[in-house]
Amino acid sequence: MALETLFSPKNIRNVQIKNRIVRSATFTNTAEKYGYIGDRFIELYETLAEGGTGLIITEATAVDPSGTGGPYQACLYDNSHNPGHKKLVNKVHEYSDTKIAIQLVHTGRLGYHPKYPTVAPSPIHSESTGITPRELSTEEIYEFIQIFVASGIRAYECGYDMVQLHAAHGYFLCNFISPFTNKRNDEFGGSIKNRTKILIDIYNGLRDEIGKNFPILIKLQVVDAIPNGLIEEEGIKLAKNLAEMGFDAIEPSGGGRESQMFEKNTFPSKVVKKPKDENYFLPIAKKIKHNLKNCALILVGGIRNPISAEKILQDNEVDFISLSRPLIYEPELPNRWQMGDNSPAKCISCNSCYTIMEKGVPVYCVTKKNLEKK
Ligand SMILES: Cc1cc2nc3c(=O)[nH]c(=O)nc-3n(C[C@H](O)[C@H](O)[C@H](O)COP(=O)(O)O)c2cc1C
C-alpha cells in the first residue's frame, strides 16, 4: 500500500509540514546543567531531522526554574538560554524543510525541586510524590501566565516554527484542567470555562505579542484515568472550547504518574503488544475531530503501523500522527516508511526508555541496545 497521505504536506495555521509525521515531545535528559542546549542535545535532534520527521516537538522545556523536572532538562526561562535554542533551530532547519516546535512546561504538583516549593492550583496531596503542594494565590497565577508568555516569546525570537503548551500528564497546566487537582473558588476554578482560563489567557497573551501567523499548539489532557479526575466527556468539551478560542492544533493525551498508581498499564505511554492495542487515543480523537474546524488534530499513543496510520489519515479521522517511543528506537523510521518498507515500528513498547528517563541519564532504548550487543 502506498503511504500517499502519510507523506503528503499539510498546514498548521500557515506553516506547512512536509508530511504527517510528528515527533511527540519526549524528555531526553540531554540538555546541559541549568537547562542550556549544547552539542549532545542538538545532535539528537539532528538525527530526528535526518530521519524524515515532518514536525519535531522538543521535549518538555521549563518556563521557570521552580518548574524543572531534573538538572538536564532543557529550559527557556532566561535570555541566556536563547543562543542554544537558536543553534538547535538552525540545525533542524538545515534538513529539507523540517519544522520544529518547542513544548513549554512547568512541573506543577509533580515537582520536587530542592530549592523551590511545589506549587499547584490547590493543596491536594499527591500519593505519587508524597508532597502536598502549596496553593497559588490568584495574583501568582497571573504571574505564571506572564512567565509562560515570556517563554513563548523567547521561543518565537529563537526561530521556532511553533510552540506547544504541555497541558497533560499531571503537570502545572493540567492541574488546572482536572477537577481532582483544581478545587479553587476564584476565576481559575469551578466550571470547565474557569478551569481553562489559564490556557486561554496564555494563548491570548502570546497571540498579542507574536501576531497571527505563529501557530500555538497544545498537548491536552482529555482523560485523567484516576477516581474523581477528568472524564472523557469533559475532555471532548475542553478540546472544542480551545479550538474555538484559536488554538491551532490539539494533541489529545491523558493519564500520567498519578494514574499509574491506580493501574499499571495506563496513559500516556501504554504497552502495545497486539494490533488491537495500537492507536489507543483514536476512539476519543474521533469524538473530538468534528468540533475542530481550522484546528489540526494530532493523534498520539501507540501508533506503530504505517498502513493503519495511512488509513486513519485517508479517512480524515485526524490530521497528523505523532510518535514518541518508536523514534527513540528508530529515529530514521519516517525515511524507512517513505522508502517503501511498510513494516511496523520496531519499538515493542517495553517502556525501558521511560525507566532510563527516571534515572536522570540520557534516554535510550534498552531493547535495541541489548539486540545490538548480540
Ligand atoms: C521517555 C519518554 C519521555 C516522554 N516525555 C514527554 C514529554 O516531555 N512531554 C510530553 O508531552 N510527553 C512525553 N512523553 C509521552 C509521549 O510524548 C507520548 O505521548 C506517549 O509515549 C505515547 O506515544 P508513543 O506510543 O508513540 O510512545 C514521554 C514518553 C516517554 C516514553
Side-chain angles (χ1 to χ4, degrees):
M1 184 190 191
L3 305 174
E4 272 171 28
T5 322
L6 190 59
F7 289 98
S8 65
K10 192 167 175 93
N11 279 25
I12 296 183
R13 199 166 266 256
N14 68 340
V15 176
Q16 190 182 72
I17 316 294
K18 66 178 171 181
N19 60 37
R20 306 297 185 89
I21 303 176
V22 176
R23 186 274 198 148
S24 197
T26 305
F27 205 83
T28 65
N29 282 322
T30 55
E32 305 304 318
K33 247 182 149 187
Y34 309 114
Y36 289 100
I37 304 292
D39 289 345
R40 62 180 182 166
F41 193 96
I42 294 175
E43 276 162 27
L44 193 147
Y45 281 81
E46 187 176 4
T47 314
L48 285 165
E50 210 171 7
T53 296
L55 171 63
I56 300 171
I57 303 181
T58 68
E59 54 215 273
T61 302
V63 297
D64 192 66
S66 67
T68 55
Y72 303 108
Q73 176 177 9
C75 296
L76 189 51
Y77 54 75
D78 187 277
N79 288 345
S80 67
H81 291 123
N82 292 15
H85 284 274
K86 282 186 187 160
K87 228 173 138 185
L88 168 71
V89 170
N90 290 340
K91 182 50 79 183
V92 167
H93 282 165
E94 282 175 17
Y95 286 84
S96 76
D97 209 21
T98 309
K99 298 294 191 285
I100 180 162
I102 188 167
Q103 189 186 56
L104 298 178
V105 77
H106 184 287
T107 44
R109 70 187 255 106
L110 295 183
Y112 42 87
H113 200 288
K115 264 173 58 190
Y116 300 93
T118 302
V119 292
S122 301
I124 311 292
H125 183 75
S126 167
E127 293 295 334
S128 160
T129 61
I131 295 171
T132 304
R134 179 175 72 72
E135 180 177 34
L136 288 165
S137 69
T138 309
E139 291 69 35
E140 284 175 312
I141 296 174
Y142 282 107
E143 283 166 21
F144 268 111
I145 290 168
Q146 289 318 313
I147 285 171
F148 270 93
V149 170
S151 268
I153 294 170
R154 275 188 206 102
Y156 174 73
E157 288 167 354
C158 289
Y160 281 100
D161 299 292
M162 38 192 97
V163 290
Q164 184 186 59
L165 302 182
H166 191 352
H169 310 165
Y171 299 111
F172 186 83
L173 296 176
C174 177
N175 299 161
F176 282 84
I177 296 171
S178 169
F180 174 65
T181 51
N182 183 348
K183 307 282 185 200
R184 299 184 70 86
N185 297 316
D186 62 3
E187 62 265 43
F188 292 102
S191 64
I192 295 195
K193 190 167 170 250
N194 285 5
R195 282 186 274 133
T196 46
K197 177 172 163 53
I198 188 165
L199 304 175
I200 308 288
D201 284 5
I202 295 170
Y203 175 90
N204 287 334
L206 250 178
R207 188 56 77 220
D208 285 350
E209 292 293 330
I210 58 181
K212 62 178 171 31
N213 291 332
F214 191 64
I216 303 174
L217 288 55
I218 187 160
K219 188 151 181 182
L220 181 66
Q221 190 82 343
V222 290
V223 59
D224 273 347
I226 52 170
N228 306 317
L230 185 79
I231 55 168
E232 198 178 294
E233 288 70 27
E234 274 197 316
I236 294 165
K237 276 191 207 151
L238 263 172
K240 182 172 187 278
N241 293 351
L242 296 177
E244 281 169 2
M245 287 311 297
F247 276 92
D248 297 299
I250 296 180
E251 186 180 11
S253 193
R257 256 171 238 271
E258 299 195 284
S259 65
Q260 284 155 12
M261 315 268 315
F262 296 94
E263 198 190 322
K264 216 166 160 256
N265 184 19
T266 184
F267 307 127
S269 307
K270 281 183 93 166
V271 174
V272 178
K273 287 217 165 104
K274 301 189 180 111
K276 72 169 179 48
D277 305 328
E278 289 174 12
N279 314 323
Y280 47 80
F281 280 116
L282 184 61
I284 191 162
K286 282 186 190 175
K287 294 179 195 164
I288 289 172
K289 176 76 168 128
H290 67 277
N291 288 324
L292 294 199
K293 299 198 176 74
N294 294 329
C295 171
L297 181 58
I298 303 175
L299 178 68
V300 71
I303 298 158
R304 302 290 181 265
N305 187 324
I307 295 169
S308 76
E310 172 68 21
K311 172 115 188 20
I312 292 166
L313 292 166
Q314 260 180 22
D315 293 348
N316 205 24
E317 289 176 331
V318 304
D319 301 294
F320 294 89
I321 59 124
S322 190
L323 308 166
S324 166
R325 291 166 291 175
L327 293 174
I328 298 175
Y329 193 133
E330 293 177 272
E332 70 287 4
L333 183 59
N335 283 347
R336 172 159 84 69
W337 283 345
Q338 189 165 26
M339 284 187 298
D341 177 351
N342 284 359
S343 56
K346 291 179 187 158
C347 170
I348 58 162
S349 315
C350 61
N351 280 339
S352 63
C353 48
Y354 206 84
T355 316
I356 298 297
M357 179 190 77
E358 302 266 271
K359 288 186 181 159
V361 297
V363 167
Y364 62 90
C365 173
V366 177
T367 302
K368 179 182 180 183
K369 208 166 200 173
N370 288 343
L371 279 174
E372 283 169 352
K373 271 193 214 149
K374 284 187 187 159

